[in-house]
Amino acid sequence: MPRASGPLAEALARRVVLLDGGLSNQLADQGCDLSGGLWSGRVLAERPDQVEAAHAAYARAGAEVLITASYQVGYEAFAAHGHDRAETTALLHRSVALAARAAEAADHEVWVAASVGPYGAVLADGSEYRGRYGLSVRELAAFHRPRIEALLAAGADVLALETIPDAEEAEAVLGVLAGTGAAAWLSYTVAGARTRAGQPLPEAFALAAGAPEIIAVGVNCCDPADVLPALEAAASVTATPLLAYPNDGSVWDAPTATWHAPDHPAPWPVEAWRTAGARLIGGCCRIGPPDIAELAAGIQGDGTGHWRQRG
């Protein structure tokens, strides 16, 4: 069937749209090796069949948006592993093509969102949870521009500017997008009432308030408890539809490259997120297809508008 019947922005004006979950955890569950600095980008380069299979698993679970495996793909990082610019561009294009094939095989309409991960992701040292890289807005724009251009040329339905830890990086990517006519969402990773770099959330979200390219703003890869206050902060400065795709509350430990899971995962107040304006809802790291299937089914785990993660 056709990938999607119309722009994602039009669907968001009518209803909630379900995102997928964490790509890396699904690849790991499929037995893929994500070691080394390229992370999921390594699987994209070496085992594209596994990437497509992971996308298909989320589509079967009911996901209506598949986020590509381009999060970790940067020209400098891949050059350090022997990939020239043409090869890296081809991998960015491949990431969109794999998600598109899974979308076209689904039994419902599915949009493809090309992941534009933060500068910190390609450093593979946990910097995406800190920001403050020591680069200017201009330097960050120069880093992001070729990646964004390649992903737009590949034909994604929307760009996912995701896991952005720093308002200065958001300013950079918004500047790259300005005037392109592309559709994109902007998603910060947050800690409490601030970006990971420490900026107040209303100021951070206000950067996107007048950007015609931005169809949704919100948060991802954060503690579920931080979602609702962040959505309320966004709603205070913009009428743009909101989005939420947190992780399971785990904390990433960069030196050991491991997640530290919470002893008691908190329920997700999904109905409260919807009331606050969330129109794109899904999961990030450590949220898998079974969790997305439960969200798709509208399961209210405790009968009060909360959803509880499996496990």
Side-chain angles (χ1 to χ4, degrees):
M1 64 177 295
R3 217 158 73 193
S5 59
L8 179 58
E10 292 182 2
L12 298 182
R14 300 190 306 270
R15 62 182 180 86
V16 172
V17 175
L18 185 67
L19 293 166
D20 59 7
L23 184 62
S24 60
N25 48 266
Q26 178 60 21
L27 292 172
D29 287 348
Q30 291 172 191
C32 298
D33 185 356
L34 277 73
S35 62
L38 299 182
W39 197 40
S40 56
R42 174 181 177 179
V43 186
L44 175 65
E46 298 176 358
R47 295 295 309 275
D49 59 313
Q50 290 295 318
V51 173
E52 185 175 351
H55 288 315
Y58 281 115
R60 287 194 300 271
E64 298 173 279
V65 180
L66 300 177
I67 302 175
T68 66
S70 49
Y71 176 87
Q72 200 87 9
V73 181
Y75 286 92
E76 296 83 357
F78 272 67
H81 288 79
H83 297 269
D84 63 26
R85 291 188 71 82
E87 290 171 334
T88 302
T89 297
L91 287 175
L92 290 167
H93 289 184
R94 173 188 287 179
S95 73
V96 174
L98 294 171
R101 282 211 294 265
E104 289 160 3
D107 61 1
H108 56 279
E109 66 176 353
V110 178
W111 290 268
V112 172
S115 175
V116 180
Y119 175 79
V122 304
L123 301 179
D125 64 357
S127 292
E128 65 262 52
Y129 299 115
R130 298 191 299 270
R132 299 299 190 192
Y133 313 119
L135 300 179
S136 68
V137 171
R138 183 175 179 178
E139 289 169 324
L140 288 168
F143 166 78
H144 282 291
R145 183 170 287 106
R147 306 167 71 212
I148 287 174
E149 289 174 347
L151 291 168
L152 288 176
D157 298 305
V158 62
L159 295 181
L161 311 175
E162 59 177 354
T163 327
I164 303 297
D166 195 322
E168 291 184 359
E169 187 164 20
E171 183 181 349
V173 293
L174 289 169
V176 172
L177 279 182
T180 64
W185 76 64
L186 174 65
S187 183
Y188 288 102
T189 180
V190 302
R194 294 179 178 267
T195 67
R196 298 280 186 162
Q199 298 105 346
L201 289 181
E203 295 178 14
F205 286 120
L207 291 172
E213 295 83 9
I214 299 301
I215 66 168
V217 298
V219 292
N220 78 289
C221 211
C222 61
D223 193 302
D226 287 335
V227 170
L228 185 57
L231 296 180
E232 292 171 343
S236 73
V237 296
T238 179
T240 306
L242 306 182
L243 62 89
Y245 53 116
N247 58 36
D248 68 344
S250 295
V251 176
W252 177 250
D253 182 64
T256 62
T258 56
W259 287 99
H260 296 300
D263 291 333
H264 303 287
W268 292 19
V270 174
E271 288 305 310
W273 299 350
R274 293 177 63 173
T275 299
R279 292 295 175 266
L280 278 168
I281 298 175
C284 200
C285 298
R286 299 168 63 84
I287 300 298
D291 301 309
I292 296 304
E294 290 196 358
L295 281 174
I299 292 176
Q300 305 300 313
D302 61 5
T304 61
H306 289 60
W307 170 81
R308 291 187 180 276
Q309 179 197 342
R310 294 168 59 94

